[in-house]
Amino acid sequence: MLKRLEIAGFKSFARKTVLDFSSAATAIVGPNGSGKSNVAEAFRFALGEQSMKSMRGKRSEDLIFAGSHSAARANRAAVTIVFDNQERHGKRPFKIDFDEVAIERAVFRDGASEYAINGSRARLRDIQELLSNANIGETGHHIISQGEADRILLSNPKERRAMLEDALGLKVFEFKKAESERKLQKTEENMGQVEAMRRELSPHLKFLGKQVERLERADELRRELVAACQTYFSIEEAYLESEKEKNAAALRAAADRLAVATAEIEKLEDASAGDQQGVVRAEAVRLAERELDRLLGERAALARELGKVEGVLEAAKQHAARASREPFAKIPREDIEALRDEIEKQAAHAGTTPESLAAALAAVRAAMRAFFDKHSSGDDAYLAEEERAALTVEQNRAALIERDAKAAEAIEAARAALSRARAAVLAHEETGREGRHRLLTIANERATQEAEVARQEARSRELALFSQEFEQARAEALALGGTQAVTYEKLAAPPAEERGVQDARKRSMERLKIRLEEAGGTGEDVRKEYEDATQREAFLARELDDLSHSAAGLRSLIKDLDDELSRTFAEGLAQVNASFGEFFAVMFGGGGAKLVLEDLDAGDGEDEDEDAPRQPQAAEKPGIEISVHLPKKKVQSLMQLSGGERALTSIALIFAMSQVNPPPFLILDETDAALDEANSRRYGDMVETLAKKSQLIVITHNRETMSRAGILYGVTMGGDGVSKLLSVKFDEAVAVAK
């Protein structure tokens, strides 16, 4: 399977060097310091070794040829291992569709490192996965360098188990398990994120759900409103059209009748416009009535004035009588009351004209004077003055009586004139009564038609207002219910029903509008958001379900891998122990050795806290212990073995692990250095046996080991510090070894 190794600029191999491995066993020989061990380290380097200590360096620059006095230093070290992959359907093929698989690693002086598979850039992880599928894992079990033969013996149980698992080819399962665990962890993280997003989305989705329920209720209200609007609008439109037609017809008829009445009235008025005699006679009646009213007013004023004078005269007479009888007269209560009554009488009969008011005032003054004269001391001079005043009042009375008589005569004359004027008017009116009756009738008809026209015009304005309200209601319905609310079949005539039924429909429609406005609009944005949120929640649910199934599948895969690892490890451990015992008996001429699992519960437990909870140990793998029994020697510990015994034990164990799960190649770097001649022969026999299952590359000084190789490569180094390679055929190698 291993075809060749190409080295360029790596350590002492300054120039490109190619080693062909066409034989089952290849030996690399040369003096100390020639660089033959650099071949083993080149294998380590190309296979991805990360420990600089394992390649005898401190930093990556130490792996690049440093130059000499005659050779320039290299800026790059590269090693390529080429494998034969023609049998791609074998037991351990490389999972790549090429006949040859070339794995290359290069390092530069700036510390950069590159990997390539068949010339294509790759990652170290890609290299490791490719090698693990072909049972080429860590270099610790199939590249054994000088001085490290007993490393497996000196390792702790955990490291020893890891070496054994690597040798048994379990690395591929470990890779799969680690990858599955990484995927499971990522899947669980994704599940947590999806759950968090669902929890975050849930309240908003519930809120949107309630909003959508509210919108669905609004849709139901909208459907009810559409039905109500269609019924109401169809009836209302038919009603308005019918009423407008009736109103227009009635208005035209009333206007026509009004025009006829107005024309006839104008004709009659024109005919009576030239009647001047009737106007004159009517004017005479009016003047006679005014004259009679004036005369009646004047006589009433004279009557009031005459009454006042007579009252004054009567009071003066009574006072004079009392004064003649008593020098100091007492005033009776009735006189005072009479004076009061007289004053109130004059005040009550006083007119509104200046003349009547003056007369009333004079009468009051006379009454007062008469009152005091009546009750004075009775002085003669005073009495004489009163008599003169009384005489004057008497004279005034006589004049007033005369004037009253004349006024009565004038009134009678005015009444006679008024009667004559009225008789003349009645006589004139009798002649035109029929014309006036016709005019009155037509005037009444005109008034009736004017009222009808006004009523119909008011009705027209009312219907116009109803039409505006109708259009406004249609606009509101269109905004709330859409075009369906204003799309209806027109009626030829309104139904025969009371107007109150339509009013009830309108009130119901208005209530639906209010409820729909309270419920909100169409809510298309809310519906879209709810639909998006629902789809996202469903997507997250499906995603979570997929992730759950994926996680369950990964857990099942991890369990299957654990079961496979446990089964394969147990079977491999049994096979390794069988081979280990055989190789050990061959190497030591008897005795026995085996690998045992360490006891995880071992320990005296004195330092443990009995009350402390014990940690579960199910996930912890037990390490590997080595038990040996040397012939004729009691050994209690591996540390009690000599250097040669440890080397033989290590070789026996390495060969045993290689026999159970043979790697494609095995490199032994001077692992036989500590063997004596007898053990060298045994070592050579085991090399021949092992070469039947794996390609062997042996770096050795031992002639016995050289004799078992098919190809010998000699490594030399000249004065320029550059390693050179010589090849020797098997026959020549035998001759040299003899």
Side-chain angles (χ1 to χ4, degrees), residues 43 51 57 203 213 247 313 342 498 539 549 562 587 589 639 701:
F43 274 100
S51 173
E213 290 178 1
N247 172 250
L313 287 176
E342 180 63 20
E498 295 292 334
F539 170 75
H549 283 84
D562 284 334
M587 295 296 289
M639 299 304 296
H701 291 287

Side-chain angles (χ1 to χ4, degrees), residues 65-315:
F65 178 67
S68 64
H69 64 280
S70 59
R73 72 172 189 172
N75 292 320
R76 173 179 180 270
V79 178
T80 303
I81 303 177
V82 181
F83 295 93
D84 183 4
N85 194 41
Q86 290 184 354
E87 297 182 2
R88 288 191 289 277
H89 303 287
K91 183 178 180 182
R92 292 284 188 173
F94 286 103
K95 294 185 177 181
I96 183 171
D97 195 18
F98 289 94
D99 291 339
E100 277 190 355
V101 177
I103 297 175
E104 180 183 8
R105 181 183 180 185
V107 66
F108 301 87
R109 289 199 175 274
D110 59 1
S113 182
E114 293 180 353
Y115 296 90
I117 299 176
N118 284 6
S120 299
R121 293 284 295 273
R123 301 171 300 172
L124 174 60
R125 179 179 174 181
D126 300 327
I127 301 292
Q128 291 174 339
E129 290 182 358
L130 182 65
L131 293 173
S132 64
N133 288 322
N135 194 27
I136 304 174
E138 297 291 339
T139 59
H141 79 282
H142 58 270
I143 300 179
I144 310 299
S145 298
Q146 182 179 1
E148 294 183 354
D150 59 351
R151 183 169 65 90
I152 192 169
L153 302 181
L154 302 178
S155 300
N156 61 48
K158 301 296 182 186
E159 294 173 345
R160 198 176 292 127
R161 181 187 178 105
M163 294 178 187
L164 179 60
E165 290 177 345
D166 195 8
L168 293 175
L170 303 182
K171 200 63 178 180
V172 63
F173 297 107
E174 292 289 350
F175 272 123
K176 291 180 180 179
K177 180 181 176 182
E179 182 66 20
S180 299
E181 288 175 344
R182 284 193 296 271
K183 290 181 179 179
L184 177 61
Q185 181 181 3
K186 185 63 177 178
T187 301
E188 290 175 345
E189 291 176 357
N190 292 336
M191 289 174 63
Q193 293 175 0
V194 173
E195 283 285 3
M197 286 188 286
R198 290 188 71 190
R199 287 194 299 270
E200 182 180 355
L201 183 62
S202 178
H204 186 56
L205 186 60
K206 290 180 180 178
F207 170 76
L208 291 176
K210 293 180 180 178
Q211 293 294 101
V212 170
E213 290 178 1
R214 182 179 177 184
L215 292 174
E216 289 175 353
R217 292 195 296 271
D219 288 342
E220 182 63 28
L221 290 174
R222 188 173 292 103
R223 287 189 289 272
E224 294 179 12
L225 176 63
V226 167
C229 288
Q230 290 175 342
T231 302
Y232 173 79
F233 290 146
S234 61
I235 295 175
E236 189 69 9
E237 186 176 39
Y239 169 78
L240 289 175
E241 290 179 354
S242 175
E243 288 298 309
K244 286 179 180 180
E245 290 177 359
K246 292 179 182 178
N247 172 250
L251 183 59
R252 286 193 300 270
D256 292 343
R257 290 192 295 270
L258 177 61
V260 171
T262 301
E264 190 170 355
I265 286 174
E266 290 176 351
K267 181 178 179 182
L268 291 174
E269 287 179 348
D270 291 340
S272 62
D275 189 6
Q276 296 296 327
Q277 185 179 2
V279 175
V280 171
R281 291 176 180 179
E283 182 66 20
V285 171
R286 187 179 63 79
L287 293 175
E289 289 176 346
R290 289 176 60 185
E291 181 63 19
L292 179 61
D293 290 340
R294 185 184 66 78
L295 292 174
L296 289 173
E298 290 179 353
R299 189 180 183 190
L302 287 174
R304 288 193 296 273
E305 188 175 356
L306 181 60
K308 293 176 184 177
V309 170
E310 288 178 350
V312 171
L313 287 176
E314 183 64 26

Side-chain angles (χ1 to χ4, degrees), residues 309 313 317 388-399 401:
V309 170
L313 287 176
K317 290 178 181 179
R388 287 193 294 274
L391 180 60
T392 302
V393 171
E394 184 65 27
Q395 293 174 350
N396 291 337
R397 177 175 175 273
I401 291 173

Side-chain angles (χ1 to χ4, degrees), residues 712 727-737:
L712 288 178
S727 61
V728 180
K729 297 297 183 181
F730 178 74
D731 295 337
E732 298 176 358
V734 172
V736 171

Side-chain angles (χ1 to χ4, degrees), residues 6 199 267 331 401 477 508 525 544 553 587 621 670 694:
E6 299 176 359
R199 287 194 299 270
K267 181 178 179 182
I331 302 174
I401 291 173
S508 176
D525 293 340
L544 185 61
M587 295 296 289
K621 295 180 180 179
E670 298 190 39
S694 299

